[in-house]
Amino acid sequence: MYKICVVGTGYVGLVTGACLADFGNQVTCVDSDSSKIAKLRKLTVPFFEYGLEEIVKRNVREGRLSFSESLKDSVRESLVIFIAVGTPTDSKGETDLGSVKAAAAEIGKSMNGYRLIVEKSTVPVGTSRMVEEIVRKSMRGRYSFDVASNPEFLREGSAVENFLRPDRVVIGTRSKKAEKILSEIYRPLYLIETPMVKTNVETAELIKYASNAFLATKVSFINEVAVVCEKVNADVQVVAKGMGLDRRIGPKFLHAGPGYGGSCFPKDTKAFIEFSSVLGLDLKIVKATIEANNRQKKLMVEKISRAISGTRGKTICVLGLSFKPETDDVREAPSIYIIKELKKRGAKIKAFDPVAMPSASQVLSGVEFCANSYDAAKGSHCVVIVTEWNEFRRLDFAKLKRIMKTPVLVDLRNVYDPEVPAAAGFKYFGVGR
């Protein structure tokens, strides 16, 4: 059992802290936001993530997980400090490391003995050296410490499962001592034979960016194939299946749709390009991935407009606001771009999402948020499925036809076999079909 401090109680920090506590460690999650800490102490999780509330409550109840505003006290009481603060990018794609620097400085000031400082936030290659320098300059005594990289690979909507049963754990260190400590922390995963990638810090930092850039590239690639499919009367679903059966390619992330979104792919691809440019490198494939993704969202707006012969004065029902199911995250969600563009074109928007409407209301104005799918569809000229929540897979088309102005379904996730809505009298528009 280790005493661990996790700096940051956002998506990565809270999942990391709760799951490390579930491994049997004594974990304190620290955040400077007093209101967030107050909610967590009342066992109120500030965002939706499947299974997280249960694991937080269990570990608080069993005394392994606690929350604090004092980083100083937590550092003094812990051997291992995970930095899991936000690292947003600006319009150019440059990573804002302000929170990482502030955490490093406070950790340095608070140290009273050896500490292992672990980068959990996604940061550009070379950040560990910066953290080392800041900690060393901030220390008020002479203490030894290590800085390691342990990137997260959490998929929103299944983050707890990803942490407890990961595809791999990446451990980047510069000393055997740091490697030994992190290996012992993740020892419970050896029981399920989780691959452990042990390497140097720079390689570990790069693995995260390379992974996300490659997955984003697969998404953009199949979306470009979908555009070709529509021109030649081919079905992208079958094309993707045929591709995915090749073990060298694999089926995952070959699902045509409105483009990728969320907190990782958009941010990490831009950051990868930016810090590589500082090295004098031009990542042409990653740049093309971003361009293709931006173009795909624009094409979806055009698809909707064509489906109803223009959007001005039309009422459009949008089903799904989060960037993917099982999360309330609307950061960079295709739905946000699509809705804003449709509104610019004079459309009225009615929307429904099982969990993401509170989040969406913070970034969207002039949208009517509805109680359910049918409330949103009532009086609409078309229904647009943007996020493939399970409840949208069993819509009552007979009921929809009765309450809509015109029976049009624009299925941006290819949820339905086109014959099903067509048999109910709907005009159906998919992606790449």
Side-chain angles (χ1 to χ4, degrees), residues 183-402:
S183 297
E184 288 178 351
I185 286 174
Y186 285 106
R187 186 169 297 281
L189 298 180
Y190 281 92
L191 299 176
I192 56 174
E193 300 182 342
T194 300
M196 300 282 168
V197 180
K198 297 178 181 179
T199 183
N200 63 28
V201 177
E202 288 77 11
T203 302
E205 290 171 331
L206 187 55
I207 286 172
K208 173 60 186 275
Y209 281 107
S211 297
N212 278 356
F214 183 74
L215 293 175
T217 300
K218 287 187 75 173
V219 174
S220 285
F221 180 83
I222 199 62
N223 282 337
E224 288 207 318
V225 171
V227 175
V228 177
C229 286
E230 292 182 5
K231 294 289 186 181
V232 301
N233 194 33
D235 188 335
V236 73
Q237 299 283 83
V238 182
V239 172
K241 182 178 180 180
M243 292 172 59
L245 290 171
D246 187 327
R247 293 179 183 177
R248 296 169 300 173
I249 299 172
K252 293 186 177 181
F253 290 86
L254 288 179
H255 302 286
Y260 60 75
S263 62
C264 292
F265 286 5
K267 176 174 73 71
D268 293 351
T269 49
K270 291 175 185 176
F272 198 7
I273 289 171
E274 178 60 27
F275 78 72
S276 295
S277 70
V278 174
L279 302 173
L281 303 174
D282 184 12
L283 303 185
K284 294 184 183 298
I285 292 176
V286 184
K287 283 184 177 179
T289 293
I290 296 172
E291 291 169 4
N293 192 61
N294 292 336
R295 182 171 63 249
Q296 187 71 4
K297 290 185 284 188
K298 293 176 182 178
L299 290 174
M300 297 303 99
V301 176
E302 296 299 331
K303 181 183 292 290
I304 295 165
S305 180
R306 287 196 305 271
I308 54 177
S309 301
T311 57
R312 188 160 299 280
K314 304 288 179 65
T315 299
I316 298 173
C317 163
V318 174
L319 298 182
L321 298 168
S322 55
F323 84 96
K324 63 179 289 188
E326 307 301 335
T327 179
D328 62 349
D329 194 346
V330 298
R331 285 175 288 181
E332 302 286 344
S335 64
I336 304 302
Y337 173 87
I338 289 169
I339 287 173
K340 287 181 176 180
E341 286 300 309
L342 290 173
K343 288 180 79 280
K344 286 179 185 177
R345 297 182 180 209
K348 175 185 176 183
I349 306 297
K350 298 176 70 179
F352 171 71
D353 186 287
V355 302
M357 289 191 290
S359 301
S361 67
Q362 301 298 310
V363 294
L364 291 172
S365 60
V367 173
E368 182 181 346
F369 295 103
C370 301
N372 54 55
S373 301
Y374 302 101
D375 183 25
K378 187 176 181 180
S380 297
H381 291 85
C382 77
V383 168
V384 182
I385 298 176
V386 186
T387 311
E388 66 276 33
W389 286 93
N390 282 336
E391 65 182 87
F392 301 151
R393 298 178 184 273
R394 290 290 184 268
L395 294 173
D396 183 337
F397 287 108
K399 181 177 181 179
L400 285 175
K401 190 175 180 181
R402 290 196 302 270

Side-chain angles (χ1 to χ4, degrees), residues 2-209:
Y2 283 94
K3 288 189 175 181
I4 296 171
C5 165
V6 178
V7 187
T9 59
Y11 179 79
V12 173
L14 188 56
V15 172
T16 297
C19 291
L20 288 176
D22 214 50
F23 286 170
N25 298 291
Q26 194 75 36
V27 180
T28 303
C29 290
V30 180
D31 203 293
S32 58
D33 187 335
S34 58
S35 63
K36 188 182 288 188
I37 293 298
K39 289 179 180 177
L40 286 168
R41 284 173 173 165
K42 294 178 182 178
L43 303 183
T44 300
V45 176
F47 52 87
F48 178 82
E49 177 60 39
Y50 183 77
L52 181 58
E53 185 174 335
E54 178 185 347
I55 199 170
V56 167
K57 288 181 177 179
R58 179 172 68 246
N59 283 282
V60 169
R61 183 173 63 247
E62 295 179 6
R64 292 190 296 266
L65 179 63
S66 61
F67 305 98
S68 175
E69 296 173 53
S70 176
L71 180 55
K72 178 180 179 180
D73 292 344
S74 300
V75 168
R76 287 178 174 272
E77 295 169 2
S78 302
L79 174 67
V80 185
I81 301 106
F82 284 82
I83 299 178
V85 297
T87 53
T89 54
D90 59 22
S91 58
K92 295 180 180 179
E94 186 173 349
T95 304
D96 181 355
L97 295 173
S99 295
V100 173
K101 293 176 181 178
E106 187 63 26
I107 290 167
K109 292 177 186 176
S110 306
M111 284 172 55
N112 56 356
Y114 173 83
R115 295 294 181 271
L116 171 57
I117 302 162
V118 185
E119 294 176 341
K120 199 68 175 173
S121 303
T122 302
V123 293
V125 178
T127 301
S128 64
R129 295 292 187 188
M130 178 198 73
V131 170
E132 281 184 2
E133 184 178 349
I134 292 172
V135 170
R136 190 170 289 110
K137 288 181 177 179
S138 302
M139 282 193 298
R140 292 173 175 170
R142 295 175 63 85
Y143 307 109
S144 63
F145 68 94
D146 282 301
V147 176
S149 176
N150 174 222
E152 55 87 11
F153 299 97
L154 305 178
R155 297 188 292 273
E156 293 190 47
S158 56
V160 172
E161 177 71 12
N162 295 158
F163 198 103
L164 299 178
R165 295 170 181 81
D167 295 327
R168 77 290 204 195
V169 172
V170 176
I171 295 173
T173 59
R174 294 193 181 92
S175 76
K176 288 296 181 182
K177 182 176 184 178
E179 181 184 300
K180 182 175 184 292
I181 292 171
L182 278 173
S183 297
E184 288 178 351
I185 286 174
Y186 285 106
R187 186 169 297 281
L189 298 180
Y190 281 92
L191 299 176
I192 56 174
E193 300 182 342
T194 300
M196 300 282 168
V197 180
K198 297 178 181 179
T199 183
N200 63 28
V201 177
E202 288 77 11
T203 302
E205 290 171 331
L206 187 55
I207 286 172
K208 173 60 186 275
Y209 281 107

